Coordinates of all heavy atoms in Angstrom, one line a residue:
P3 N 0.8 -1.2 0.0 CA 0.0 0.0 0.0 C 0.8 1.3 0.0 O 0.5 2.2 -0.7 CB -0.8 -0.1 1.3 CG -0.8 -1.6 1.6 CD 0.5 -2.1 1.1
L4 N 2.0 1.3 0.7 CA 2.8 2.5 0.8 C 3.4 2.8 -0.6 O 3.3 3.9 -1.0 CB 3.9 2.3 1.8 CG 5.0 3.4 1.9 CD1 4.3 4.7 2.3 CD2 6.0 3.0 2.9
L5 N 4.0 1.7 -1.2 CA 4.6 2.0 -2.5 C 3.6 2.4 -3.6 O 3.8 3.2 -4.4 CB 5.3 0.7 -3.0 CG 6.6 0.3 -2.1 CD1 7.2 -1.0 -2.7 CD2 7.6 1.4 -2.1
A6 N 2.4 1.7 -3.5 CA 1.3 2.0 -4.4 C 0.9 3.5 -4.3 O 0.8 4.2 -5.3 CB 0.1 1.1 -4.2
N7 N 0.8 4.0 -3.1 CA 0.4 5.4 -2.9 C 1.4 6.3 -3.3 O 1.2 7.4 -3.8 CB 0.0 5.6 -1.4 CG -1.4 5.1 -1.1 OD1 -2.4 5.5 -1.8 ND2 -1.6 4.3 -0.1
L8 N 2.7 6.0 -3.1 CA 3.8 6.9 -3.5 C 3.8 7.0 -5.0 O 4.0 8.2 -5.5 CB 5.1 6.3 -3.0 CG 5.5 6.4 -1.5 CD1 6.7 5.6 -1.2 CD2 5.6 7.8 -1.1
Y9 N 3.7 5.9 -5.7 CA 3.7 6.0 -7.2 C 2.5 6.7 -7.8 O 2.5 7.5 -8.7 CB 3.9 4.6 -7.8 CG 5.4 4.2 -7.8 CD1 5.9 3.4 -6.8 CD2 6.2 4.5 -8.9 CE1 7.2 3.0 -6.9 CE2 7.5 4.2 -8.9 CZ 8.0 3.4 -7.9 OH 9.3 3.0 -7.9
M10 N 1.3 6.3 -7.2 CA 0.1 6.9 -7.7 C 0.0 8.4 -7.4 O -0.5 9.2 -8.2 CB -1.1 6.2 -7.0 CG -1.5 4.9 -7.7 SD -1.9 5.0 -9.5 CE -3.2 6.2 -9.5
N11 N 0.6 8.8 -6.3 CA 0.7 10.2 -6.0 C 1.5 11.0 -7.1 O 1.1 12.1 -7.5 CB 1.4 10.5 -4.6 CG 1.4 11.9 -4.3 OD1 0.4 12.6 -4.1 ND2 2.6 12.5 -4.1
R12 N 2.6 10.4 -7.6 CA 3.4 11.0 -8.6 C 2.5 11.1 -9.9 O 2.5 12.1 -10.6 CB 4.6 10.2 -8.9 CG 5.6 10.2 -7.8 CD 6.8 9.4 -8.1 NE 7.6 10.0 -9.2 CZ 8.6 9.5 -9.8 NH1 9.0 8.3 -9.4 NH2 9.3 10.1 -10.8
F13 N 1.8 10.0 -10.2 CA 0.9 10.0 -11.4 C -0.2 11.1 -11.3 O -0.4 11.9 -12.2 CB 0.3 8.7 -11.6 CG -0.7 8.6 -12.7 CD1 -0.4 8.7 -14.0 CD2 -2.1 8.5 -12.3 CE1 -1.4 8.6 -15.0 CE2 -3.1 8.5 -13.3 CZ -2.7 8.5 -14.6
L14 N -0.8 11.1 -10.2 CA -2.0 12.1 -10.0 C -1.5 13.5 -10.0 O -2.2 14.4 -10.5 CB -2.7 11.7 -8.7 CG -3.4 10.4 -8.7 CD1 -4.0 10.1 -7.3 CD2 -4.5 10.4 -9.7
K15 N -0.3 13.7 -9.4 CA 0.2 15.1 -9.4 C 0.6 15.6 -10.8 O 0.2 16.7 -11.2 CB 1.5 15.2 -8.5 CG 2.1 16.6 -8.4 CD 3.3 16.5 -7.4 CE 3.9 18.0 -7.3 NZ 5.0 17.9 -6.3
Y16 N 1.2 14.7 -11.6 CA 1.5 15.1 -13.0 C 0.2 15.2 -13.8 O 0.1 16.1 -14.7 CB 2.3 14.0 -13.6 CG 3.0 14.4 -14.9 CD1 3.7 15.5 -15.0 CD2 2.8 13.6 -16.0 CE1 4.3 15.9 -16.2 CE2 3.4 14.0 -17.3 CZ 4.1 15.1 -17.3 OH 4.7 15.5 -18.5
W17 N -0.8 14.4 -13.5 CA -2.1 14.6 -14.1 C -2.7 16.0 -13.9 O -3.2 16.6 -14.8 CB -3.1 13.5 -13.6 CG -4.5 13.7 -14.0 CD1 -5.5 14.4 -13.5 CD2 -5.2 12.9 -15.1 NE1 -6.7 14.3 -14.1 CE2 -6.5 13.4 -15.1 CE3 -4.8 12.0 -16.0 CZ2 -7.5 12.9 -16.0 CZ3 -5.7 11.5 -16.9 CH2 -7.0 11.9 -16.9
R18 N -2.6 16.5 -12.6 CA -3.1 17.8 -12.3 C -2.3 18.9 -12.9 O -2.9 19.8 -13.5 CB -3.1 17.9 -10.7 CG -4.2 17.1 -10.0 CD -4.3 17.5 -8.6 NE -3.1 17.4 -7.8 CZ -2.8 16.3 -7.2 NH1 -3.5 15.2 -7.2 NH2 -1.6 16.3 -6.5
I19 N -1.0 18.9 -12.8 CA -0.2 20.0 -13.2 C -0.2 20.1 -14.7 O 0.1 21.2 -15.3 CB 1.3 19.9 -12.7 CG1 2.0 18.7 -13.2 CG2 1.2 19.9 -11.1 CD1 3.4 18.7 -12.8
T20 N -0.4 19.1 -15.5 CA -0.5 19.2 -16.9 C -1.9 19.4 -17.4 O -2.1 19.4 -18.7 CB 0.1 17.9 -17.5 OG1 -0.7 16.7 -17.1 CG2 1.5 17.7 -17.2
G21 N -2.9 19.5 -16.5 CA -4.2 19.8 -16.9 C -4.9 18.7 -17.7 O -5.7 19.0 -18.6
R22 N -4.6 17.5 -17.4 CA -5.2 16.4 -18.2 C -6.7 16.3 -18.0 O -7.4 15.8 -18.9 CB -4.5 15.1 -17.8 CG -3.1 14.9 -18.2 CD -2.9 15.0 -19.7 NE -2.4 16.3 -20.1 CZ -2.1 16.7 -21.4 NH1 -2.3 15.8 -22.3 NH2 -1.7 17.9 -21.7
G23 N -7.1 16.6 -16.8 CA -8.6 16.5 -16.5 C -9.4 17.4 -17.5 O -10.4 16.9 -18.0
E24 N -8.9 18.6 -17.7 CA -9.6 19.5 -18.6 C -9.4 19.0 -20.1 O -10.4 19.1 -20.9 CB -9.2 20.9 -18.4 CG -9.5 21.6 -17.1 CD -8.6 21.1 -16.0 OE1 -7.6 20.4 -16.3 OE2 -9.0 21.3 -14.8
F25 N -8.2 18.6 -20.4 CA -7.9 18.2 -21.8 C -8.7 17.0 -22.2 O -9.2 17.0 -23.3 CB -6.4 18.0 -21.9 CG -6.0 17.7 -23.3 CD1 -5.8 18.8 -24.2 CD2 -5.7 16.4 -23.8 CE1 -5.4 18.5 -25.5 CE2 -5.4 16.2 -25.1 CZ -5.2 17.2 -26.0
F26 N -8.7 16.0 -21.3 CA -9.4 14.8 -21.7 C -10.9 14.8 -21.2 O -11.6 13.8 -21.4 CB -8.7 13.6 -21.0 CG -7.4 13.3 -21.6 CD1 -6.3 13.1 -20.7 CD2 -7.1 13.2 -22.9 CE1 -5.0 12.8 -21.2 CE2 -5.9 13.0 -23.4 CZ -4.8 12.8 -22.6
Q27 N -11.3 15.9 -20.6 CA -12.7 15.9 -20.0 C -12.9 14.7 -19.1 O -13.8 14.0 -19.3 CB -13.8 16.0 -21.1 CG -13.6 17.2 -22.0 CD -14.8 17.2 -23.1 OE1 -15.9 17.1 -22.7 NE2 -14.4 17.3 -24.4
A28 N -11.9 14.5 -18.2 CA -11.9 13.3 -17.5 C -11.6 13.5 -16.0 O -11.2 14.6 -15.6 CB -10.8 12.4 -18.0
Q29 N -11.9 12.5 -15.2 CA -11.6 12.5 -13.8 C -11.0 11.1 -13.4 O -11.5 10.1 -13.9 CB -12.9 12.8 -13.0 CG -12.6 12.8 -11.5 CD -13.9 13.2 -10.7 OE1 -14.9 13.5 -11.3 NE2 -13.9 13.0 -9.4
V30 N -10.0 11.1 -12.6 CA -9.4 9.9 -12.1 C -10.0 9.5 -10.7 O -10.0 10.4 -9.8 CB -7.8 10.0 -12.0 CG1 -7.2 8.7 -11.5 CG2 -7.2 10.4 -13.3
V31 N -10.4 8.3 -10.6 CA -10.8 7.8 -9.3 C -9.9 6.6 -8.9 O -9.8 5.6 -9.7 CB -12.3 7.3 -9.3 CG1 -12.8 6.8 -8.0 CG2 -13.2 8.4 -9.8
N32 N -9.3 6.7 -7.8 CA -8.3 5.6 -7.4 C -8.4 5.2 -6.0 O -8.9 6.0 -5.1 CB -6.9 6.0 -7.8 CG -6.3 6.9 -6.7 OD1 -6.7 8.1 -6.5 ND2 -5.3 6.4 -6.0
Y33 N -7.9 4.0 -5.7 CA -7.7 3.5 -4.4 C -6.5 2.7 -4.4 O -6.4 1.6 -5.1 CB -8.9 2.6 -3.9 CG -8.7 2.1 -2.5 CD1 -9.1 3.0 -1.4 CD2 -8.3 0.9 -2.2 CE1 -8.9 2.5 -0.1 CE2 -8.1 0.4 -0.9 CZ -8.4 1.3 0.1 OH -8.2 0.8 1.4
T34 N -5.4 3.2 -3.8 CA -4.0 2.6 -3.9 C -3.7 2.5 -5.4 O -3.6 3.5 -6.1 CB -3.9 1.3 -3.1 OG1 -4.8 0.3 -3.7 CG2 -4.2 1.5 -1.7
D35 N -3.4 1.3 -5.9 CA -3.0 1.1 -7.2 C -4.1 0.8 -8.2 O -3.8 0.6 -9.4 CB -1.9 0.1 -7.3 CG -2.4 -1.3 -6.9 OD1 -3.4 -1.4 -6.2 OD2 -1.7 -2.3 -7.2
D36 N -5.3 0.7 -7.8 CA -6.5 0.5 -8.6 C -7.1 1.8 -9.0 O -7.4 2.7 -8.1 CB -7.5 -0.4 -8.0 CG -7.1 -1.8 -7.9 OD1 -6.3 -2.3 -8.7 OD2 -7.5 -2.5 -6.9
F37 N -7.3 2.1 -10.3 CA -7.9 3.4 -10.7 C -8.7 3.2 -12.0 O -8.5 2.3 -12.8 CB -6.9 4.5 -10.8 CG -5.9 4.3 -11.9 CD1 -6.1 5.0 -13.1 CD2 -4.8 3.4 -11.8 CE1 -5.1 4.8 -14.1 CE2 -3.9 3.3 -12.8 CZ -4.0 4.0 -14.0
V38 N -9.7 4.1 -12.1 CA -10.4 4.2 -13.4 C -10.3 5.7 -13.8 O -10.2 6.6 -13.0 CB -11.9 3.8 -13.3 CG1 -12.0 2.3 -12.9 CG2 -12.6 4.6 -12.2
I39 N -10.4 5.9 -15.1 CA -10.4 7.3 -15.7 C -11.8 7.4 -16.4 O -12.1 6.7 -17.3 CB -9.3 7.5 -16.7 CG1 -7.9 7.3 -16.0 CG2 -9.4 8.9 -17.3 CD1 -6.7 7.5 -16.9
L40 N -12.5 8.3 -15.9 CA -13.9 8.6 -16.4 C -13.7 9.8 -17.4 O -13.5 10.9 -17.0 CB -14.9 8.9 -15.3 CG -14.9 7.9 -14.2 CD1 -15.9 8.4 -13.1 CD2 -15.4 6.6 -14.7
S41 N -13.9 9.5 -18.7 CA -13.7 10.5 -19.7 C -14.8 10.6 -20.7 O -15.5 9.6 -20.9 CB -12.4 10.1 -20.5 OG -12.2 11.0 -21.6

């Protein structure tokens, strides 16, 4: 769980700072290393 959250945090942070949510009209929902992208 610790490693999963560390890596997912990096992914989610990059998702936010690059504005992927607005670009893909999407939202990420995750729990540790499981996630879905609603686009």
Side-chain angles (χ1 to χ4, degrees):
L4 174 61
L5 294 178
N7 280 307
L8 286 174
Y9 277 95
M10 279 304 300
N11 181 64
R12 295 182 65 188
F13 169 74
L14 294 173
K15 184 176 181 180
Y16 193 55
W17 173 278
R18 290 193 299 269
I19 65 177
T20 57
R22 294 297 102 180
E24 293 78 11
F25 185 80
F26 294 132
Q27 301 180 52
Q29 181 176 353
V30 180
V31 181
N32 81 290
Y33 182 82
T34 61
D35 60 340
D36 288 332
F37 67 98
V38 296
I39 299 177
L40 307 175
S41 175

